[in-house]
Amino acid sequence: MSASAELAERPRTSRGSDFDAIIIGAGISGMFMLYRLRELGIKARVFEAGADLGGTWYWNRYPGARFDSESWTYGYSFSKELMQEWDWKEHFSPQPDTLEYLNYVAQKFDLRRDMQFGSTVTSAHWDDAANQWTVTLENGEQARSRLLFTAIGILSAYTLPAIPGRDSFRGPAYHPARWPHTPVDFSGKRVGIIGTGATAIQAIPEIARQAKHLTVFQRRPNWAAPLHNAKIGQAEMQEIKSRYEEIYAHCAKTASWFIHEADRRKTLDVPPEEREAFWEKLYAEPGFGIWMGNFRDILIDEKANAAISEFIAKKIRQRVKDPKVADKLIPKDHGFGTRRVPLESGYFEAYNRDNVTLVDTINDEPIECITPKGVQTRAREYEFDILVYATGFDGVTGAFDRIDIRGMDGMHLKDAWTDGPRTYLGMLAEGFPNLLMVLGPHTARGNIPQAIEHSVEFQAGILRFMQEHNYTRVETRPEHVAEWTQIVIKASEPLLSSKVDSWQTGVNRNVEGRTVRRVLGYNGNGVHFRRKTDEVAKGGYQEFLFR
Ligand SMILES: Cc1cc2nc3c(=O)[nH]c(=O)nc-3n(C[C@H](O)[C@H](O)[C@H](O)COP(=O)(O)OP(=O)(O)OC[C@H]3O[C@@H](n4cnc5c(N)ncnc54)[C@H](O)[C@@H]3O)c2cc1C
């Protein structure tokens, strides 16, 4: 009998529980966790707020939505068969294709039968005596399980602009993360978009092409660099398939699990002409090379960062015809690469169009309110047919805060994390037994599906260990939480990004109380993270308390 068949023969449901495990969220994390739990013979139920699976790729249907990881490094790698079956159509897959991919995965592995959609979890309370979690849905329905997995995403808690009169607008107003399922027709329409983050940077060129007029309200400009997307032909896809093992092995050895690897030379040690030629090359190449394949010290050394920032600023000036508009699009309050760099396709050229206007809401025209007709700034009222609130997400901890999670002695997770998250490896929190987080705060992220797979595999290892020893409860030890929290904070300290407001440092001016920077992710080297987790597994999970 195989090990997994033997495990599958164990009683499936703990006494008094509805399921052995509950997973919250049916995105890439929840789907893979469900797959692994089934293999372990653990009876699981997934509760998903959306009407179907896919997470990010179910919700974000705005024009231009796509990821900027190379497609052939973004898919699951746990099934070689799946990798060989699926053909990516573009190097940076657009949202509809990625959602199609996730549907293909769900169908292939029959995942839907254990998923319950339209089921927002509002609370999860630990019952110490019963050794189980009670999960409550928005409609009052309850379910109990021994194990609880959060797979709720780092960019799933969307935020609307905190502007007076927001709901008074008479026309349709959309947030990109709650985009309608039928395409929005912008033709002949006056459109206003609030925000110039990663989403807006993707959507603006697309909307500009259709709309009668597009007005962009910008608070803080973001650095952006070209994506250089292209279609993947059949021969190229075959060639990629033949190299999958090598590609994923390579990613696993890089700091962020992308194909790109930083150059160890110091920026200012490289002669200016050579440096310029290197940057020209990176700027002309697809993907994150300009950010992750650049000189390593651009992310830690102010002078090196100033040099690359000036290079990118020069590019913006070259691409935007009106020097005043170009100047407004160049960030002055942070350097290139210190916030996640959005990759764009014709973003800067959109401002050369006669039907696009940029409004600087910090220096020129602060927004006073949203009106029934449009947007009132200090200078005038802008009238619109459609408004887009591209105001992003309450990153990383936002989705946790929206659930009333209580552990031992009724302790609220939100309270336990008031001064910032405290976890062990971003996977367990002190005082919350049997709560495992996939892609939780303080874990390594980088190329996210690879981080998810790593995290799920590690947690499956813990579960296997528990089954082998007949344990029903896992907790983290306080000293290891303290140690890991320190490691995470220390890893962020040298980075210039830690001194910049962004969703990655937990700042979101549209959310009350989100004005103080926090360290929300493990920003050290992904290779070190893998090594650490491998050591913990090899050492027999001594950092955990089992019962
Ligand atoms: C526009 C955009 C572009 C991106 N591009 C990239 C990229 O290029 N590379 C990259 O690595 N990552 C990218 N990301 C990050 C992306 O979120 C991850 O790659 C990945 O999709 C995360 O999967 P997940 O399952 O962990 O979370 P999600 O996909 O966010 O799924 C979480 C699910 O949990 C559900 N949920 C949350 N709370 C509850 C609740 N209380 N009750 C029930 N259900 C709940 C949500 O509805 C959602 O469906 C991008 C994100 C966005 C928004």
PDB file of all heavy atoms in Angstrom, residues 24-25 27-29 47-49 55-57 59 62 67-69 74 119-121 151-153 156 340 403 439 447-448 452, ligand 1:
ATOM      1  N   ILE A  24      -9.963  29.141   3.313  1.00  0.00           N
ATOM      2  CA  ILE A  24     -10.666  30.359   2.904  1.00  0.00           C
ATOM      3  C   ILE A  24      -9.973  30.908   1.666  1.00  0.00           C
ATOM      4  O   ILE A  24      -8.790  31.267   1.721  1.00  0.00           O
ATOM      5  CB  ILE A  24     -10.679  31.437   4.017  1.00  0.00           C
ATOM      6  CG1 ILE A  24     -11.028  30.834   5.382  1.00  0.00           C
ATOM      7  CG2 ILE A  24     -11.647  32.570   3.657  1.00  0.00           C
ATOM      8  CD1 ILE A  24     -10.954  31.824   6.540  1.00  0.00           C
ATOM      9  N   GLY A  25     -10.700  30.974   0.556  1.00  0.00           N
ATOM     10  CA  GLY A  25     -10.147  31.531  -0.676  1.00  0.00           C
ATOM     11  C   GLY A  25      -9.897  30.470  -1.734  1.00  0.00           C
ATOM     12  O   GLY A  25      -9.324  29.413  -1.436  1.00  0.00           O
ATOM     13  N   GLY A  27      -8.273  31.076  -4.819  1.00  0.00           N
ATOM     14  CA  GLY A  27      -7.312  31.532  -5.825  1.00  0.00           C
ATOM     15  C   GLY A  27      -6.242  30.460  -6.004  1.00  0.00           C
ATOM     16  O   GLY A  27      -6.453  29.276  -5.672  1.00  0.00           O
ATOM     17  N   ILE A  28      -5.103  30.874  -6.500  1.00  0.00           N
ATOM     18  CA  ILE A  28      -4.013  29.932  -6.761  1.00  0.00           C
ATOM     19  C   ILE A  28      -3.624  29.185  -5.481  1.00  0.00           C
ATOM     20  O   ILE A  28      -3.390  27.981  -5.485  1.00  0.00           O
ATOM     21  CB  ILE A  28      -2.811  30.692  -7.360  1.00  0.00           C
ATOM     22  CG1 ILE A  28      -3.199  31.238  -8.737  1.00  0.00           C
ATOM     23  CG2 ILE A  28      -1.579  29.802  -7.465  1.00  0.00           C
ATOM     24  CD1 ILE A  28      -2.151  32.119  -9.387  1.00  0.00           C
ATOM     25  N   SER A  29      -3.631  29.904  -4.352  1.00  0.00           N
ATOM     26  CA  SER A  29      -3.263  29.293  -3.062  1.00  0.00           C
ATOM     27  C   SER A  29      -4.279  28.250  -2.629  1.00  0.00           C
ATOM     28  O   SER A  29      -3.921  27.106  -2.306  1.00  0.00           O
ATOM     29  CB  SER A  29      -3.194  30.366  -1.958  1.00  0.00           C
ATOM     30  OG  SER A  29      -2.181  31.280  -2.205  1.00  0.00           O
ATOM     31  N   PHE A  47     -14.163  27.851   1.177  1.00  0.00           N
ATOM     32  CA  PHE A  47     -15.168  28.911   1.138  1.00  0.00           C
ATOM     33  C   PHE A  47     -14.591  30.095   0.370  1.00  0.00           C
ATOM     34  O   PHE A  47     -13.519  30.608   0.720  1.00  0.00           O
ATOM     35  CB  PHE A  47     -15.566  29.362   2.552  1.00  0.00           C
ATOM     36  CG  PHE A  47     -16.354  28.319   3.294  1.00  0.00           C
ATOM     37  CD1 PHE A  47     -15.872  27.790   4.486  1.00  0.00           C
ATOM     38  CD2 PHE A  47     -17.565  27.863   2.806  1.00  0.00           C
ATOM     39  CE1 PHE A  47     -16.591  26.824   5.175  1.00  0.00           C
ATOM     40  CE2 PHE A  47     -18.297  26.890   3.488  1.00  0.00           C
ATOM     41  CZ  PHE A  47     -17.807  26.369   4.677  1.00  0.00           C
ATOM     42  N   GLU A  48     -15.281  30.504  -0.664  1.00  0.00           N
ATOM     43  CA  GLU A  48     -14.790  31.589  -1.528  1.00  0.00           C
ATOM     44  C   GLU A  48     -15.876  32.661  -1.660  1.00  0.00           C
ATOM     45  O   GLU A  48     -17.031  32.348  -1.952  1.00  0.00           O
ATOM     46  CB  GLU A  48     -14.406  31.018  -2.898  1.00  0.00           C
ATOM     47  CG  GLU A  48     -14.240  32.033  -4.023  1.00  0.00           C
ATOM     48  CD  GLU A  48     -13.209  33.128  -3.745  1.00  0.00           C
ATOM     49  OE1 GLU A  48     -12.068  32.798  -3.405  1.00  0.00           O
ATOM     50  OE2 GLU A  48     -13.564  34.332  -3.874  1.00  0.00           O
ATOM     51  N   ALA A  49     -15.463  33.919  -1.465  1.00  0.00           N
ATOM     52  CA  ALA A  49     -16.412  35.032  -1.557  1.00  0.00           C
ATOM     53  C   ALA A  49     -16.960  35.194  -2.978  1.00  0.00           C
ATOM     54  O   ALA A  49     -18.146  35.503  -3.166  1.00  0.00           O
ATOM     55  CB  ALA A  49     -15.724  36.322  -1.106  1.00  0.00           C
ATOM     56  N   GLY A  55      -9.541  33.763  -7.836  1.00  0.00           N
ATOM     57  CA  GLY A  55      -8.990  34.840  -6.997  1.00  0.00           C
ATOM     58  C   GLY A  55      -8.723  36.101  -7.806  1.00  0.00           C
ATOM     59  O   GLY A  55      -9.606  36.607  -8.506  1.00  0.00           O
ATOM     60  N   THR A  56      -7.495  36.584  -7.744  1.00  0.00           N
ATOM     61  CA  THR A  56      -7.074  37.785  -8.474  1.00  0.00           C
ATOM     62  C   THR A  56      -7.584  37.787  -9.910  1.00  0.00           C
ATOM     63  O   THR A  56      -8.057  38.794 -10.422  1.00  0.00           O
ATOM     64  CB  THR A  56      -5.525  37.840  -8.501  1.00  0.00           C
ATOM     65  OG1 THR A  56      -5.075  38.094  -7.168  1.00  0.00           O
ATOM     66  CG2 THR A  56      -5.002  38.918  -9.427  1.00  0.00           C
ATOM     67  N   TRP A  57      -7.504  36.614 -10.547  1.00  0.00           N
ATOM     68  CA  TRP A  57      -7.816  36.537 -11.980  1.00  0.00           C
ATOM     69  C   TRP A  57      -9.304  36.341 -12.243  1.00  0.00           C
ATOM     70  O   TRP A  57      -9.744  36.400 -13.387  1.00  0.00           O
ATOM     71  CB  TRP A  57      -6.932  35.476 -12.646  1.00  0.00           C
ATOM     72  CG  TRP A  57      -5.518  35.768 -12.268  1.00  0.00           C
ATOM     73  CD1 TRP A  57      -4.721  35.059 -11.406  1.00  0.00           C
ATOM     74  CD2 TRP A  57      -4.760  36.938 -12.624  1.00  0.00           C
ATOM     75  NE1 TRP A  57      -3.522  35.699 -11.223  1.00  0.00           N
ATOM     76  CE2 TRP A  57      -3.517  36.853 -11.965  1.00  0.00           C
ATOM     77  CE3 TRP A  57      -5.004  38.054 -13.435  1.00  0.00           C
ATOM     78  CZ2 TRP A  57      -2.522  37.831 -12.091  1.00  0.00           C
ATOM     79  CZ3 TRP A  57      -4.020  39.029 -13.563  1.00  0.00           C
ATOM     80  CH2 TRP A  57      -2.801  38.904 -12.898  1.00  0.00           C
ATOM     81  N   TRP A  59     -11.411  38.271 -10.236  1.00  0.00           N
ATOM     82  CA  TRP A  59     -11.941  39.601  -9.909  1.00  0.00           C
ATOM     83  C   TRP A  59     -11.463  40.705 -10.852  1.00  0.00           C
ATOM     84  O   TRP A  59     -12.225  41.593 -11.213  1.00  0.00           O
ATOM     85  CB  TRP A  59     -11.521  39.995  -8.485  1.00  0.00           C
ATOM     86  CG  TRP A  59     -12.125  39.184  -7.384  1.00  0.00           C
ATOM     87  CD1 TRP A  59     -11.464  38.300  -6.558  1.00  0.00           C
ATOM     88  CD2 TRP A  59     -13.494  39.173  -6.948  1.00  0.00           C
ATOM     89  NE1 TRP A  59     -12.337  37.753  -5.652  1.00  0.00           N
ATOM     90  CE2 TRP A  59     -13.593  38.270  -5.860  1.00  0.00           C
ATOM     91  CE3 TRP A  59     -14.655  39.841  -7.368  1.00  0.00           C
ATOM     92  CZ2 TRP A  59     -14.792  38.026  -5.198  1.00  0.00           C
ATOM     93  CZ3 TRP A  59     -15.852  39.593  -6.705  1.00  0.00           C
ATOM     94  CH2 TRP A  59     -15.913  38.701  -5.635  1.00  0.00           C
ATOM     95  N   TYR A  62     -10.405  44.246 -15.574  1.00  0.00           N
ATOM     96  CA  TYR A  62     -10.320  45.572 -16.204  1.00  0.00           C
ATOM     97  C   TYR A  62      -9.497  45.496 -17.501  1.00  0.00           C
ATOM     98  O   TYR A  62      -8.673  44.591 -17.667  1.00  0.00           O
ATOM     99  CB  TYR A  62      -9.707  46.585 -15.219  1.00  0.00           C
ATOM    100  CG  TYR A  62      -8.313  46.236 -14.755  1.00  0.00           C
ATOM    101  CD1 TYR A  62      -7.191  46.634 -15.469  1.00  0.00           C
ATOM    102  CD2 TYR A  62      -8.112  45.498 -13.592  1.00  0.00           C
ATOM    103  CE1 TYR A  62      -5.915  46.311 -15.049  1.00  0.00           C
ATOM    104  CE2 TYR A  62      -6.831  45.168 -13.156  1.00  0.00           C
ATOM    105  CZ  TYR A  62      -5.746  45.575 -13.891  1.00  0.00           C
ATOM    106  OH  TYR A  62      -4.481  45.246 -13.491  1.00  0.00           O
ATOM    107  N   PHE A  67      -0.509  39.807 -15.849  1.00  0.00           N
ATOM    108  CA  PHE A  67       0.593  39.798 -14.868  1.00  0.00           C
ATOM    109  C   PHE A  67       1.909  40.136 -15.551  1.00  0.00           C
ATOM    110  O   PHE A  67       2.020  40.111 -16.780  1.00  0.00           O
ATOM    111  CB  PHE A  67       0.653  38.492 -14.077  1.00  0.00           C
ATOM    112  CG  PHE A  67       0.720  37.211 -14.865  1.00  0.00           C
ATOM    113  CD1 PHE A  67       1.792  36.944 -15.693  1.00  0.00           C
ATOM    114  CD2 PHE A  67      -0.286  36.262 -14.739  1.00  0.00           C
ATOM    115  CE1 PHE A  67       1.864  35.754 -16.399  1.00  0.00           C
ATOM    116  CE2 PHE A  67      -0.215  35.063 -15.444  1.00  0.00           C
ATOM    117  CZ  PHE A  67       0.851  34.815 -16.271  1.00  0.00           C
ATOM    118  N   ASP A  68       2.897  40.463 -14.722  1.00  0.00           N
ATOM    119  CA  ASP A  68       4.197  40.808 -15.295  1.00  0.00           C
ATOM    120  C   ASP A  68       5.289  39.821 -14.870  1.00  0.00           C
ATOM    121  O   ASP A  68       6.475  40.087 -15.019  1.00  0.00           O
ATOM    122  CB  ASP A  68       4.579  42.270 -15.036  1.00  0.00           C
ATOM    123  CG  ASP A  68       4.168  42.756 -13.675  1.00  0.00           C
ATOM    124  OD1 ASP A  68       4.091  41.908 -12.769  1.00  0.00           O
ATOM    125  OD2 ASP A  68       3.937  43.965 -13.504  1.00  0.00           O
ATOM    126  N   SER A  69       4.861  38.681 -14.354  1.00  0.00           N
ATOM    127  CA  SER A  69       5.766  37.527 -14.260  1.00  0.00           C
ATOM    128  C   SER A  69       5.751  36.904 -15.650  1.00  0.00           C
ATOM    129  O   SER A  69       4.730  36.966 -16.343  1.00  0.00           O
ATOM    130  CB  SER A  69       5.218  36.463 -13.305  1.00  0.00           C
ATOM    131  OG  SER A  69       5.064  36.955 -12.013  1.00  0.00           O
ATOM    132  N   TYR A  74       4.837  31.377 -14.150  1.00  0.00           N
ATOM    133  CA  TYR A  74       3.730  31.729 -13.254  1.00  0.00           C
ATOM    134  C   TYR A  74       2.820  30.531 -13.002  1.00  0.00           C
ATOM    135  O   TYR A  74       2.102  30.483 -12.012  1.00  0.00           O
ATOM    136  CB  TYR A  74       2.922  32.892 -13.858  1.00  0.00           C
ATOM    137  CG  TYR A  74       1.916  33.501 -12.899  1.00  0.00           C
ATOM    138  CD1 TYR A  74       2.270  34.566 -12.064  1.00  0.00           C
ATOM    139  CD2 TYR A  74       0.620  33.014 -12.831  1.00  0.00           C
ATOM    140  CE1 TYR A  74       1.344  35.123 -11.186  1.00  0.00           C
ATOM    141  CE2 TYR A  74      -0.309  33.568 -11.954  1.00  0.00           C
ATOM    142  CZ  TYR A  74       0.058  34.616 -11.134  1.00  0.00           C
ATOM    143  OH  TYR A  74      -0.860  35.159 -10.259  1.00  0.00           O
ATOM    144  N   SER A 119     -19.449  32.666  -0.704  1.00  0.00           N
ATOM    145  CA  SER A 119     -19.399  32.352   0.731  1.00  0.00           C
ATOM    146  C   SER A 119     -18.291  33.155   1.406  1.00  0.00           C
ATOM    147  O   SER A 119     -17.158  32.675   1.563  1.00  0.00           O
ATOM    148  CB  SER A 119     -19.147  30.858   0.930  1.00  0.00           C
ATOM    149  OG  SER A 119     -20.182  30.112   0.342  1.00  0.00           O
ATOM    150  N   THR A 120     -18.618  34.376   1.789  1.00  0.00           N
ATOM    151  CA  THR A 120     -17.631  35.224   2.467  1.00  0.00           C
ATOM    152  C   THR A 120     -17.532  34.819   3.929  1.00  0.00           C
ATOM    153  O   THR A 120     -18.540  34.775   4.637  1.00  0.00           O
ATOM    154  CB  THR A 120     -18.050  36.708   2.376  1.00  0.00           C
ATOM    155  OG1 THR A 120     -18.165  37.037   0.994  1.00  0.00           O
ATOM    156  CG2 THR A 120     -17.059  37.627   3.057  1.00  0.00           C
ATOM    157  N   VAL A 121     -16.316  34.530   4.367  1.00  0.00           N
ATOM    158  CA  VAL A 121     -16.112  34.181   5.775  1.00  0.00           C
ATOM    159  C   VAL A 121     -16.003  35.476   6.568  1.00  0.00           C
ATOM    160  O   VAL A 121     -15.178  36.343   6.264  1.00  0.00           O
ATOM    161  CB  VAL A 121     -14.827  33.327   5.939  1.00  0.00           C
ATOM    162  CG1 VAL A 121     -14.496  33.133   7.409  1.00  0.00           C
ATOM    163  CG2 VAL A 121     -14.980  31.998   5.225  1.00  0.00           C
ATOM    164  N   ALA A 151      -6.162  31.415   2.605  1.00  0.00           N
ATOM    165  CA  ALA A 151      -5.588  31.534   1.253  1.00  0.00           C
ATOM    166  C   ALA A 151      -6.265  32.746   0.630  1.00  0.00           C
ATOM    167  O   ALA A 151      -6.847  32.679  -0.437  1.00  0.00           O
ATOM    168  CB  ALA A 151      -5.850  30.252   0.473  1.00  0.00           C
ATOM    169  N   ILE A 152      -6.204  33.861   1.387  1.00  0.00           N
ATOM    170  CA  ILE A 152      -7.067  35.013   1.105  1.00  0.00           C
ATOM    171  C   ILE A 152      -6.380  36.111   0.296  1.00  0.00           C
ATOM    172  O   ILE A 152      -6.989  37.139   0.019  1.00  0.00           O
ATOM    173  CB  ILE A 152      -7.658  35.580   2.428  1.00  0.00           C
ATOM    174  CG1 ILE A 152      -6.559  35.851   3.446  1.00  0.00           C
ATOM    175  CG2 ILE A 152      -8.701  34.613   2.986  1.00  0.00           C
ATOM    176  CD1 ILE A 152      -7.068  36.318   4.822  1.00  0.00           C
ATOM    177  N   GLY A 153      -5.134  35.873  -0.096  1.00  0.00           N
ATOM    178  CA  GLY A 153      -4.467  36.795  -1.019  1.00  0.00           C
ATOM    179  C   GLY A 153      -3.870  38.010  -0.334  1.00  0.00           C
ATOM    180  O   GLY A 153      -4.318  38.446   0.724  1.00  0.00           O
ATOM    181  N   SER A 156      -6.305  41.291  -2.258  1.00  0.00           N
ATOM    182  CA  SER A 156      -7.711  40.940  -2.497  1.00  0.00           C
ATOM    183  C   SER A 156      -8.660  41.900  -1.795  1.00  0.00           C
ATOM    184  O   SER A 156      -9.828  41.980  -2.150  1.00  0.00           O
ATOM    185  CB  SER A 156      -7.982  39.497  -2.057  1.00  0.00           C
ATOM    186  OG  SER A 156      -7.823  39.370  -0.665  1.00  0.00           O
ATOM    187  N   ARG A 340       6.943  48.414  -5.890  1.00  0.00           N
ATOM    188  CA  ARG A 340       6.856  47.384  -6.936  1.00  0.00           C
ATOM    189  C   ARG A 340       6.697  48.082  -8.285  1.00  0.00           C
ATOM    190  O   ARG A 340       5.808  48.927  -8.436  1.00  0.00           O
ATOM    191  CB  ARG A 340       5.673  46.461  -6.677  1.00  0.00           C
ATOM    192  CG  ARG A 340       5.737  45.185  -7.492  1.00  0.00           C
ATOM    193  CD  ARG A 340       4.554  44.285  -7.165  1.00  0.00           C
ATOM    194  NE  ARG A 340       4.741  42.935  -7.665  1.00  0.00           N
ATOM    195  CZ  ARG A 340       4.518  42.561  -8.916  1.00  0.00           C
ATOM    196  NH1 ARG A 340       4.092  43.446  -9.810  1.00  0.00           N
ATOM    197  NH2 ARG A 340       4.710  41.317  -9.294  1.00  0.00           N
ATOM    198  N   ILE A 403     -11.718  39.733   8.490  1.00  0.00           N
ATOM    199  CA  ILE A 403     -12.305  38.541   9.133  1.00  0.00           C
ATOM    200  C   ILE A 403     -12.039  38.655  10.637  1.00  0.00           C
ATOM    201  O   ILE A 403     -10.941  39.002  11.051  1.00  0.00           O
ATOM    202  CB  ILE A 403     -11.655  37.235   8.601  1.00  0.00           C
ATOM    203  CG1 ILE A 403     -11.687  37.191   7.065  1.00  0.00           C
ATOM    204  CG2 ILE A 403     -12.351  36.014   9.195  1.00  0.00           C
ATOM    205  CD1 ILE A 403     -10.929  35.996   6.459  1.00  0.00           C
ATOM    206  N   LEU A 439       0.771  32.143   1.947  1.00  0.00           N
ATOM    207  CA  LEU A 439       1.084  33.519   1.539  1.00  0.00           C
ATOM    208  C   LEU A 439       0.693  34.534   2.626  1.00  0.00           C
ATOM    209  O   LEU A 439       0.171  35.609   2.342  1.00  0.00           O
ATOM    210  CB  LEU A 439       0.355  33.854   0.225  1.00  0.00           C
ATOM    211  CG  LEU A 439       1.087  34.786  -0.729  1.00  0.00           C
ATOM    212  CD1 LEU A 439       2.359  34.144  -1.244  1.00  0.00           C
ATOM    213  CD2 LEU A 439       0.214  35.177  -1.903  1.00  0.00           C
ATOM    214  N   ASN A 447       7.974  35.946  -7.093  1.00  0.00           N
ATOM    215  CA  ASN A 447       7.102  35.387  -8.129  1.00  0.00           C
ATOM    216  C   ASN A 447       6.085  34.518  -7.386  1.00  0.00           C
ATOM    217  O   ASN A 447       6.381  33.400  -6.963  1.00  0.00           O
ATOM    218  CB  ASN A 447       7.961  34.573  -9.092  1.00  0.00           C
ATOM    219  CG  ASN A 447       7.272  34.337 -10.410  1.00  0.00           C
ATOM    220  OD1 ASN A 447       6.122  34.736 -10.608  1.00  0.00           O
ATOM    221  ND2 ASN A 447       7.977  33.691 -11.315  1.00  0.00           N
ATOM    222  N   ILE A 448       4.874  35.036  -7.239  1.00  0.00           N
ATOM    223  CA  ILE A 448       3.981  34.538  -6.191  1.00  0.00           C
ATOM    224  C   ILE A 448       3.553  33.070  -6.322  1.00  0.00           C
ATOM    225  O   ILE A 448       3.594  32.339  -5.337  1.00  0.00           O
ATOM    226  CB  ILE A 448       2.800  35.514  -6.007  1.00  0.00           C
ATOM    227  CG1 ILE A 448       3.359  36.752  -5.301  1.00  0.00           C
ATOM    228  CG2 ILE A 448       1.656  34.883  -5.223  1.00  0.00           C
ATOM    229  CD1 ILE A 448       2.385  37.850  -5.046  1.00  0.00           C
ATOM    230  N   ILE A 452       3.747  30.353  -3.404  1.00  0.00           N
ATOM    231  CA  ILE A 452       2.569  29.598  -2.938  1.00  0.00           C
ATOM    232  C   ILE A 452       2.882  28.101  -2.930  1.00  0.00           C
ATOM    233  O   ILE A 452       2.634  27.405  -1.950  1.00  0.00           O
ATOM    234  CB  ILE A 452       1.350  29.901  -3.845  1.00  0.00           C
ATOM    235  CG1 ILE A 452       0.859  31.330  -3.614  1.00  0.00           C
ATOM    236  CG2 ILE A 452       0.225  28.886  -3.603  1.00  0.00           C
ATOM    237  CD1 ILE A 452      -0.198  31.806  -4.618  1.00  0.00           C
TER     238      ILE A 452
HETATM  239  C1  LIG B   1      -3.677  43.133 -11.142  1.00  0.00           C
HETATM  240  C2  LIG B   1      -2.737  42.216 -10.449  1.00  0.00           C
HETATM  241  C3  LIG B   1      -1.587  41.791 -11.098  1.00  0.00           C
HETATM  242  C4  LIG B   1      -0.726  40.895 -10.478  1.00  0.00           C
HETATM  243  N1  LIG B   1       0.408  40.499 -11.122  1.00  0.00           N
HETATM  244  C5  LIG B   1       1.237  39.613 -10.533  1.00  0.00           C
HETATM  245  C6  LIG B   1       2.452  39.170 -11.165  1.00  0.00           C
HETATM  246  O1  LIG B   1       2.805  39.627 -12.238  1.00  0.00           O
HETATM  247  N2  LIG B   1       3.221  38.268 -10.533  1.00  0.00           N
HETATM  248  C7  LIG B   1       2.900  37.770  -9.317  1.00  0.00           C
HETATM  249  O2  LIG B   1       3.640  36.935  -8.800  1.00  0.00           O
HETATM  250  N3  LIG B   1       1.773  38.176  -8.687  1.00  0.00           N
HETATM  251  C8  LIG B   1       0.955  39.077  -9.245  1.00  0.00           C
HETATM  252  N4  LIG B   1      -0.170  39.503  -8.579  1.00  0.00           N
HETATM  253  C9  LIG B   1      -0.475  38.982  -7.247  1.00  0.00           C
HETATM  254  C10 LIG B   1      -1.540  37.873  -7.309  1.00  0.00           C
HETATM  255  O3  LIG B   1      -2.498  38.204  -6.361  1.00  0.00           O
HETATM  256  C11 LIG B   1      -0.907  36.528  -7.040  1.00  0.00           C
HETATM  257  O4  LIG B   1      -0.012  36.217  -8.092  1.00  0.00           O
HETATM  258  C12 LIG B   1      -1.865  35.338  -6.897  1.00  0.00           C
HETATM  259  O5  LIG B   1      -2.956  35.431  -7.759  1.00  0.00           O
HETATM  260  C13 LIG B   1      -2.328  35.195  -5.459  1.00  0.00           C
HETATM  261  O6  LIG B   1      -3.142  34.067  -5.329  1.00  0.00           O
HETATM  262  P1  LIG B   1      -3.868  33.776  -3.938  1.00  0.00           P
HETATM  263  O7  LIG B   1      -4.703  32.587  -4.144  1.00  0.00           O
HETATM  264  O8  LIG B   1      -2.870  33.734  -2.855  1.00  0.00           O
HETATM  265  O9  LIG B   1      -4.734  35.081  -3.656  1.00  0.00           O
HETATM  266  P2  LIG B   1      -5.938  35.675  -4.504  1.00  0.00           P
HETATM  267  O10 LIG B   1      -5.799  35.382  -5.922  1.00  0.00           O
HETATM  268  O11 LIG B   1      -6.058  37.094  -4.075  1.00  0.00           O
HETATM  269  O12 LIG B   1      -7.190  34.862  -3.978  1.00  0.00           O
HETATM  270  C14 LIG B   1      -7.702  35.020  -2.690  1.00  0.00           C
HETATM  271  C15 LIG B   1      -9.160  34.645  -2.706  1.00  0.00           C
HETATM  272  O13 LIG B   1      -9.632  34.667  -1.366  1.00  0.00           O
HETATM  273  C16 LIG B   1     -10.929  35.169  -1.363  1.00  0.00           C
HETATM  274  N5  LIG B   1     -11.225  35.702  -0.043  1.00  0.00           N
HETATM  275  C17 LIG B   1     -10.565  36.686   0.630  1.00  0.00           C
HETATM  276  N6  LIG B   1     -11.144  36.903   1.812  1.00  0.00           N
HETATM  277  C18 LIG B   1     -12.182  36.047   1.895  1.00  0.00           C
HETATM  278  C19 LIG B   1     -13.166  35.812   2.882  1.00  0.00           C
HETATM  279  N7  LIG B   1     -13.200  36.492   4.029  1.00  0.00           N
HETATM  280  N8  LIG B   1     -14.102  34.857   2.642  1.00  0.00           N
HETATM  281  C20 LIG B   1     -14.092  34.140   1.492  1.00  0.00           C
HETATM  282  N9  LIG B   1     -13.179  34.345   0.512  1.00  0.00           N
HETATM  283  C21 LIG B   1     -12.234  35.284   0.722  1.00  0.00           C
HETATM  284  C22 LIG B   1     -10.936  36.235  -2.433  1.00  0.00           C
HETATM  285  O14 LIG B   1     -12.230  36.483  -2.924  1.00  0.00           O
HETATM  286  C23 LIG B   1     -10.029  35.622  -3.480  1.00  0.00           C
HETATM  287  O15 LIG B   1     -10.753  34.945  -4.466  1.00  0.00           O
HETATM  288  C24 LIG B   1      -1.027  40.430  -9.173  1.00  0.00           C
HETATM  289  C25 LIG B   1      -2.158  40.903  -8.502  1.00  0.00           C
HETATM  290  C26 LIG B   1      -3.007  41.786  -9.131  1.00  0.00           C
HETATM  291  C27 LIG B   1      -4.208  42.289  -8.375  1.00  0.00           C
END
